[in-house]
């Protein structure tokens, strides 16, 4: 069975007494372990779709199924990485990464081991005791990724996570993400408006258009990943 199923999802916002149709009848099935990029211009409904999968905002019609169960809200099986502003500024890097595990009531030894492993995995070894404001944008996004990995979610949802980074930093983070994805076997839904980024990262690119939420089925492109 697919890992994620987006089943005929529509979303209508009420905005100033007016209806905005952000998604209309979207359907998509994502196999376990696939890296999918949702590609399309600003305003085409990418964030709305990702938020529906995350369970932050329910669809107006249709449903999202994760691991065979209908999504009814946020859950630890689906972690989200935002473009920015997602770290707690009053917490150190290590505490930001540990936060989800603390909430879960994990044991100290497990938390410390996980934080140490993730600091190392994301080349953040020297930054555990720093605060987010002292880090570059690229380093902050490394922390955001580590924070999601700490909870070991099988699904990673990423909303333009590298959109605010310069080209070189972005490429480094893209490579880092591909390495992590290959190593940990995550299912990834990654939103971007960059064709270049989508082609570089994805197994499969889903193109969305300006027409509210229509996934152009005839433009859905499957990109074979070269085997090494
Ligand atoms: P994207 O992520 O592709 O830029 P969004 O999902 O953010 O697109 O937005 C899709 C459409 O829904 C846009 O027309 C946007 O203006 C509208 N929209 C998004 N969020 C809201 C909201 N909270 N209230 C009203 N309209 C919204
Ligand atoms: P956002 O709307 O997500 O903040 P911007 O459009 O402001 O993103 O772009 C952020 C950065 O991404 C800029 O450095 C910009 O040059 C770069 N960028 C934007 N679109 C593309 C693209 N299609 N391909 C490569 N880089 C892009």
């Amino acid at each position: 069975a697919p890992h994620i199923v987006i089943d005929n999802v529509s979303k209508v916002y009420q905005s100033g007494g007016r209806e905005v149709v952000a998604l209309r009848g979207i359907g998509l099935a994502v196999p376990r372990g696939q890296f999918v990029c949702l590609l399309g211009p600003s305003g085409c409904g990418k964030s709305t779709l990702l938020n529906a999968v995350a369970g932050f905002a329910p669809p107006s019609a249709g449903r999202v199924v994760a691991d065979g169960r209908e999504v009814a809200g946020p859950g630890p099986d689906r972690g989200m990485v935002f473009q920015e502003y997602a770290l707690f500024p009053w917490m150190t890097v290590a505490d930001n990464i540990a936060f989800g595990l603390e909430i879960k009531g994990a044991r100290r030894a497990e938390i410390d081991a996980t934080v140490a492993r993730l600091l190392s995995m994301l080349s953040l070894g020297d930054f555990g005791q720093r605060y987010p404001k002292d880090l570059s944008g690229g380093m902050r996004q490394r922390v955001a990724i580590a924070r999601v990995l700490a909870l070991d979610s099988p699904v990673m949802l990423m909303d333009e996570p590298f959109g605010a980074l310069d080209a070189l930093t972005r490429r480094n983070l893209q490579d880092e993400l591909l390495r992590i994805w290959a190593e940990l076997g995550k299912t990834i839904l990654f939103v971007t408006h960059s064709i270049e980024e989508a082609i570089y990262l994805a197994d499969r690119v889903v193109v969305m258009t300006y027409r509210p939420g229509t996934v152009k089925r005839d433009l859905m492109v499957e990109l074979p990943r070269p085997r090494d």
Side-chain angles (χ1 to χ4, degrees):
H3 195 172
I4 302 283
V5 177
I6 293 160
D7 179 13
N8 207 13
V9 162
S10 297
K11 179 74 180 186
V12 180
Y13 292 107
Q14 306 295 333
S15 176
R18 197 169 69 84
E19 290 197 335
V20 177
V21 180
L23 298 172
R24 182 181 289 138
I26 298 284
L28 189 67
V30 181
R32 192 171 302 277
Q34 195 169 62
F35 194 139
V36 176
C37 281
L38 300 172
L39 173 70
S42 209
C44 73
K46 304 182 296 295
S47 294
T48 299
L49 187 57
L50 208 64
N51 286 336
V53 177
F56 295 152
S60 314
R63 58 189 196 136
V64 177
V65 177
D67 246 329
R69 282 210 297 272
E70 182 164 357
V71 165
D77 60 316
R78 286 156 287 124
M80 174 81 97
V81 179
F82 300 93
Q83 181 169 345
E84 47 197 342
Y85 308 123
L87 302 176
F88 300 119
W90 61 88
M91 285 185 196
T92 63
V93 165
D95 288 345
N96 265 283
I97 297 171
F99 181 73
L101 289 170
E102 308 260 10
I103 293 292
K104 241 179 67 180
R107 285 190 296 148
R108 193 71 249 164
E110 184 200 338
I111 295 175
D112 291 345
T114 301
V115 169
R117 179 171 58 77
L118 290 171
L119 286 172
S120 158
M121 177 182 267
L122 285 143
S123 308
L124 288 164
D126 298 333
F127 296 86
Q129 296 315 309
R130 307 274 192 94
Y131 286 86
K133 68 171 168 45
D134 301 323
L135 304 186
S136 66
M139 293 305 250
R140 282 205 286 268
Q141 288 311 77
R142 286 172 185 269
V143 180
I145 291 169
R147 203 168 59 162
V148 166
L149 292 176
L151 284 175
D152 211 18
S153 314
V155 179
M156 283 179 79
L157 306 171
M158 311 187 79
D159 195 352
E160 302 226 28
F162 309 145
L165 306 178
D166 65 80
L168 182 61
T169 308
R170 172 185 306 192
R171 179 47 46 98
N172 286 337
L173 271 277
Q174 288 168 340
D175 287 336
E176 198 86 353
L177 179 62
L178 286 173
R179 191 174 60 72
I180 289 165
W181 169 73
E183 188 179 325
L184 302 179
K186 304 286 183 189
T187 302
I188 299 183
L189 289 185
F190 185 109
V191 161
T192 181
H193 60 257
S194 161
I195 293 174
E196 195 277 330
E197 178 162 60
I199 288 172
Y200 191 72
L201 290 174
D203 287 320
R204 179 181 181 194
V205 178
V206 172
V207 178
M208 296 168 71
T209 72
Y210 270 125
R211 280 182 297 142
T214 44
V215 171
K216 293 201 80 179
R217 288 169 191 282
D218 51 334
L219 287 179
M220 282 164 86
V221 189
E222 307 253 358
L223 300 166
R225 182 174 298 278
R227 305 275 164 221
D228 48 1

